[in-house]
Amino acid sequence: MTDIANYLPHDLEHATLVGRVWRTTANGEGPSVVVVRNGVVFDITEAVRTVSDLFEHPDALAVARQAPGEDLGRVEVLVERSLAADRAGNAPTLLAPNDLQAIKACGVTFAVSLIERVIEEQAGGDPAKARDVRESIVGVVGSDLSKIKPGSDAAMRLKEELQRRGAWSQYMEVGIGPDAEVFSKSQPMSAVGFGADVGLHPASRWNNPEPEIVLAVSSAGHVVGAALGNDVNLRDIEGRSALLLGKCKDNNGSCAIGPFVRLFDEHFTIDTIRTTQVSLRVEGADDGFTLDGVSHMSEISRDPLDLVAQTCGPHHQYPDGFMLFLGTMFSPIKDRDAPGAGFTHHLGDRVTISAPPLGALVNTVRLSTEIAPWTFGVRALYRNLAARGLVRQD
């Protein structure tokens, strides 16, 4: 993917995009809220201090389309600059497009993912055992659970049969049971954006990207738009115990979102998400390895709006809104280092997650202990906004 236009929505002229950039102005440097209108980037921080504030507005789309802002030029230039190896300097570069929102994620929402989670568990985190476990599991449950509606009578009958066979799993419970798996993926302000490094915990030896659609949801539970995400996954650590999910999922650089949030409008709706195709490409820097895969959102087991409803409501509120990873059907099993060992990352891998209406999210794989530490949190954001004269510091 060398054409910069490929990193942007295929219908860019119709898309209203919201993002964040790090830039230097006359008042100092820091994060700014930007919108993309007909391919041109505008800094609207004077009108809207945070992306969370924008998404809380009763008509976020109108604000994004009409708010006055400083013209920063064509979006293709911003994307190319953000992708460059040297991101230093005073020119704007992309950050993750969310800020104060909680970052939540759903697991085991696709049948293929369900099978792989069961394999991880029964292999005890050992990739060498995965092939044999995969064959035995598929022999019992089959490879297609897509026709089973979670929580239905048919799903409960399947549960009883699998329990009888000794093949039931906690992953089956959230895959076909009434309750979705929803967990805290990362902390507000911790996500990395387009062109940044993503991090692997150095203890992991079996890991993979998880290409996903990420919904942007207001505090009222309204879905305002969507982005692409990489829910970086450590298969060996989660495979040892699901109680290690925090160590598996929440590390420095383990959550990537971008390149922008595309707002819902007459051209882009939740129905677009329901039929979107999400592609993954991994390119090895040290071995020439390539891996390609595709997820079809039409095969998701739970509707995206059902996942939103299971996340927020009378039982749980998110006053700053939240970002919700919808899960992935793609668990790479292509052998890389040895026959039967499946896939795992090498440092330096370039990961590209793309979907026609959203563009592409590109990141490079490093160790979470070796990439830039996360130091710019919520307090730092408000100190920065105050220093730039954008909010009053009491």
Side-chain angles (χ1 to χ4, degrees):
M1 185 180 286
T2 56
D3 187 346
I4 293 299
N6 290 331
Y7 297 110
L8 294 162
H10 67 101
D11 58 342
L12 179 62
E13 68 279 10
H14 295 307
T16 302
L17 307 177
V18 174
R20 294 166 61 243
V21 301
W22 188 275
R23 64 180 298 242
T24 300
T25 69
N27 296 326
E29 65 172 342
S32 294
V33 179
V34 298
V35 295
V36 181
R37 306 165 182 156
N38 198 28
V40 179
V41 183
F42 295 89
D43 182 340
I44 63 168
T45 315
E46 291 284 348
V48 181
R49 305 300 189 255
T50 68
V51 172
S52 176
D53 288 334
L54 173 59
F55 292 169
E56 290 301 302
H57 194 279
D59 194 346
L61 179 63
V63 174
R65 285 177 167 175
Q66 300 170 14
E70 180 184 352
D71 186 337
L72 301 184
R74 291 292 304 180
V75 66
E76 293 88 349
V77 176
L78 173 62
V79 167
E80 186 170 25
R81 185 186 305 123
S82 301
L83 195 62
D86 181 9
R87 293 164 59 91
N90 294 329
T93 52
L94 280 166
L95 303 169
N98 52 299
D99 41 41
L100 302 181
Q101 297 93 336
I103 305 175
K104 308 293 286 187
C106 300
V108 200
T109 54
F110 289 84
V112 172
S113 175
L114 169 56
I115 295 295
E116 287 302 314
R117 294 293 85 74
V118 175
I119 290 166
E120 286 173 11
E121 180 184 44
Q122 299 218 352
D126 183 354
K129 297 179 181 178
R131 181 171 58 181
D132 291 339
V133 174
R134 183 176 294 107
E135 290 175 356
S136 63
I137 290 294
V138 171
V140 172
V141 305
S143 59
D144 184 9
L145 298 179
S146 61
K147 295 182 180 180
I148 298 293
K149 181 180 179 180
S152 66
D153 289 343
M156 294 304 98
R157 289 194 298 270
L158 175 59
K159 175 179 179 178
E160 292 174 1
E161 174 62 18
L162 291 172
Q163 286 176 323
R164 187 183 69 81
R165 290 172 175 257
W168 187 250
S169 160
Q170 58 198 332
Y171 293 106
M172 289 285 187
E173 182 63 48
V174 296
I176 65 174
D179 300 313
E181 179 190 16
V182 182
F183 58 92
S184 293
K185 167 60 185 177
S186 198
Q187 311 309 307
M189 298 291 297
S190 69
V192 299
F194 178 93
D197 293 334
V198 291
L200 302 174
H201 193 290
S204 176
R205 297 294 179 269
W206 186 24
N207 40 68
N208 63 273
E210 291 195 347
E212 306 189 23
I213 297 288
V214 186
L215 297 182
V217 188
S218 74
S219 63
H222 300 313
V223 184
V224 299
L228 294 167
N230 185 354
D231 175 13
V232 179
N233 185 46
L234 311 181
R235 301 189 70 181
D236 46 1
I237 291 177
E238 185 178 359
R240 283 163 46 203
S241 171
L243 297 181
L244 293 172
L245 187 66
K247 183 170 184 175
C248 168
K249 291 291 190 177
D250 189 3
N251 296 292
N252 190 25
S254 66
C255 175
I257 300 176
F260 299 94
V261 171
R262 181 170 182 176
L263 297 185
F264 286 159
D265 59 16
E266 64 272 24
H267 304 289
F268 179 68
T269 69
I270 192 66
D271 285 334
T272 312
I273 296 300
R274 291 182 174 119
T275 59
T276 292
Q277 175 178 295
V278 181
S279 299
L280 168 71
R281 183 169 180 81
V282 178
E283 300 167 277
D286 63 351
D287 59 356
F289 177 87
T290 60
L291 174 73
D292 293 284
V294 175
S295 291
H296 300 278
M297 288 298 296
S298 60
E299 298 180 22
I300 197 168
S301 301
R302 302 179 192 268
D303 187 77
L305 294 185
D306 176 52
L307 294 172
V308 172
Q310 292 216 27
T311 304
C312 71
H315 65 288
H316 201 319
Q317 295 77 47
Y318 294 88
D320 298 311
F322 62 97
M323 307 295 290
L324 183 64
F325 282 74
L326 295 180
T328 185
M329 68 175 288
F330 190 65
S331 295
I333 60 174
K334 180 180 178 181
D335 292 340
R336 185 173 196 175
D337 295 323
F343 170 85
T344 195
H345 271 306
H346 286 195
L347 299 183
D349 280 354
R350 177 185 169 107
V351 179
T352 303
I353 296 167
S354 59
L358 295 171
L361 172 63
V362 183
N363 302 100
T364 301
V365 176
R366 309 290 184 195
L367 291 179
S368 60
T369 51
E370 295 181 358
I371 64 177
W374 173 40
T375 60
F376 199 92
V378 173
R379 289 188 303 141
L381 172 63
Y382 278 96
R383 285 196 300 266
N384 181 275
L385 291 173
R388 292 155 59 196
L390 294 169
V391 298
R392 187 177 67 186
Q393 189 170 27
D394 295 325

